Amino acid sequence: MIRKIPLAWLQLTREKTRLIVALAGIAFANILMFMQLGFREALFDGNVQFHQSLNGEIVVINPQSDALLSLKTFSQRRLYQVLALEEVESVHPIYIGFTSWRNPQTRKLRSIQVIGFDPDDSIVNLPGVQQNLDKIKQPDVFLFDQGSRQEFGTIAADFLQGKAIETEVGGRTIKIGGLFQLGTSFGADGNLITSDLNFFRLFNQDGRNLGLIDVGLVKLKPGANTKVVLEKLRSSITQKDIRLLSKQEFIDFEKSYWASSTAIGFIFTLGTIMAFVVGTVIVYQILYSEIADHLPEYATLKAIGYTQFYLLIVIFQQALILATLGYMPGFAFAIFQYNIVQKETLLPITMTISRALLVLLLTVLMCCISGAIAIRKLRAADPADIFS
């Protein structure tokens, strides 16, 4: 039995060097799209890890707050007003601030995020926090985020070796009493967790008032409907100095800030578009050259009865073959790059099925658009020119 080899494949493989160059160009465009989309998602995921860890259903913030790194305080009394609703089980104030951290080894200063709350309350679901809550009840004892960048020092490694770690934070000497895992974000390179009392000891010189909080967490009684409770709270609390959000709305609030209120989200989106355009141009040049070099052959096919539609199908087949073959090395190298970036920056950048499918779809679309533009050259394939 004779197996028929598609004409599109024969045309592409006739000049293997050109094919390799084409695949390299498509793979390069794929890598660019993967990296831009990966960084964009890491931007969002990294900045909402704390939000996702909150052990509560409703969040209260100041309406003038833009994001976690620029929270405005509000009166703690507003948070306790929420307790008037029978569906509410408890409320918990959370304090967040940025101060300086002195690397114990290099003595260099670096900004670090500090999170404070009552250690008698279990309000965050982060690895390492629950088992260390008793430790942060002690004066000037903090938990260090082992997902922090290495510029803060070899804190995690030294602590696991049993070394006592003391350093200066905000000009105050503190001790590391344990480790937890949160990770870096575009807003914070490192994190500390401590009690509310230790937080105010640290930020006392900045004039922080114990009655002013950054985030209020509301836990509902079992069976309570978050949406219904939110509607009741919004109708009963008429003051405009607080904003009530569900946990998911709080996550979306943070993502929206980074997507629309900063240049970072726009830059990564623009980078993806530029990678798509670059790939389109590369594939177009390859297909156009392929058609131009084989114009007499296409004219001959027309002369012996093949239709223009058949030739169009051949071109689009070539485009799909290029898309498929070029995608695979781009996908593999992108995973390799993700691993390097995650190791060096500690950002939560990983390959996801949805992103892999999106880039595959964009690659196919990219090659089809290139094919649609390149087929205009086929109109020049006139059988009369062959026999004149």
Side-chain angles (χ1 to χ4, degrees), residues 101-106 144-146 148-165 176 179:
W101 163 280
R102 187 177 296 279
N103 186 316
Q105 288 86 36
T106 65
F144 182 80
D145 178 11
Q146 58 185 336
S148 301
R149 288 184 58 84
Q150 60 184 3
E151 285 83 356
F152 291 95
T154 57
I155 308 302
D158 291 346
F159 183 85
L160 292 174
Q161 292 174 8
K163 297 179 181 179
I165 300 174
I176 300 300
L179 303 174

Side-chain angles (χ1 to χ4, degrees), residues 182-374:
L182 176 58
T184 63
S185 68
F186 279 79
D189 290 335
N191 303 280
L192 293 172
I193 283 180
T194 191
S195 67
D196 48 357
L197 294 179
N198 282 330
F199 183 92
F200 279 98
R201 289 190 185 102
L202 181 63
F203 287 92
N204 183 51
Q205 59 186 5
D206 296 333
R208 287 292 298 252
N209 189 324
L210 190 61
L212 296 178
I213 64 177
D214 297 288
V215 177
L217 184 65
V218 181
K219 291 184 181 181
L220 302 181
K221 293 179 180 178
N225 187 298
T226 303
K227 185 176 180 181
V228 173
V229 174
L230 265 175
E231 291 176 354
K232 288 183 178 180
L233 288 173
R234 286 166 177 166
S235 61
S236 62
I237 300 178
T238 57
Q239 293 88 349
K240 302 299 182 182
D241 57 347
I242 62 170
R243 183 178 181 183
L244 295 155
L245 303 168
S246 67
K247 181 178 176 179
Q248 185 58 50
E249 287 173 343
F250 188 42
I251 293 172
D252 295 338
F253 162 78
E254 186 76 22
K255 288 184 176 182
S256 176
Y257 169 80
W258 289 99
S260 58
S261 300
T262 67
I264 300 177
F266 171 77
I267 289 171
F268 289 137
T269 302
L270 179 62
T272 303
I273 295 174
M274 293 304 299
F276 181 85
V277 172
V278 168
T280 301
V281 172
I282 291 173
V283 178
Y284 166 74
Q285 291 178 330
I286 295 298
L287 290 177
Y288 183 88
S289 300
E290 193 71 30
I291 294 172
D293 291 349
H294 297 92
L295 207 57
E297 288 88 339
Y298 285 121
T300 302
L301 290 173
K302 282 186 177 182
I304 61 178
Y306 285 95
T307 64
Q308 178 79 5
F309 179 75
Y310 171 79
L311 299 181
L312 296 180
I313 294 298
V314 171
I315 300 302
F316 278 109
Q317 284 178 342
Q318 291 182 0
L320 291 175
I321 291 172
L322 290 173
T324 304
L325 296 180
Y327 175 82
M328 291 186 288
F331 175 79
F333 195 75
I335 293 178
F336 173 72
Q337 284 190 309
Y338 280 179
N339 291 332
I340 294 177
V341 171
Q342 188 177 46
K343 181 179 179 181
E344 295 298 324
T345 66
L346 302 179
L347 289 172
I349 179 169
T350 56
M351 182 62 71
T352 62
I353 295 176
S354 59
R355 191 182 309 138
L357 292 176
L358 174 60
V359 174
L360 177 59
L361 178 63
L362 289 175
T363 304
V364 172
L365 180 62
M366 175 179 73
C367 293
C368 287
I369 291 175
S370 301
I373 300 173

Side-chain angles (χ1 to χ4, degrees), residues 29-94:
N30 279 333
I31 293 168
L32 288 179
M33 287 190 287
F34 271 123
M35 296 309 298
Q36 296 299 318
L37 291 172
F39 278 126
R40 188 173 185 271
E41 289 304 312
L43 163 69
F44 294 147
D45 294 342
N47 283 292
V48 298
Q49 290 181 101
F50 173 75
H51 306 59
Q52 293 170 337
S53 73
L54 292 175
N55 186 18
E57 292 75 32
I58 295 176
V59 176
V60 185
I61 60 173
N62 188 315
Q64 297 182 2
S65 297
D66 295 321
L68 195 66
L69 58 79
S70 59
L71 290 172
K72 306 297 182 183
T73 59
F74 64 96
S75 174
Q76 189 172 342
R77 290 177 297 176
R78 291 283 182 259
L79 179 61
Y80 287 113
Q81 282 184 279
V82 176
L83 282 171
L85 210 64
E86 61 179 0
E87 291 93 338
V88 175
E89 183 176 87
S90 59
V91 295
H92 309 277
I94 302 175

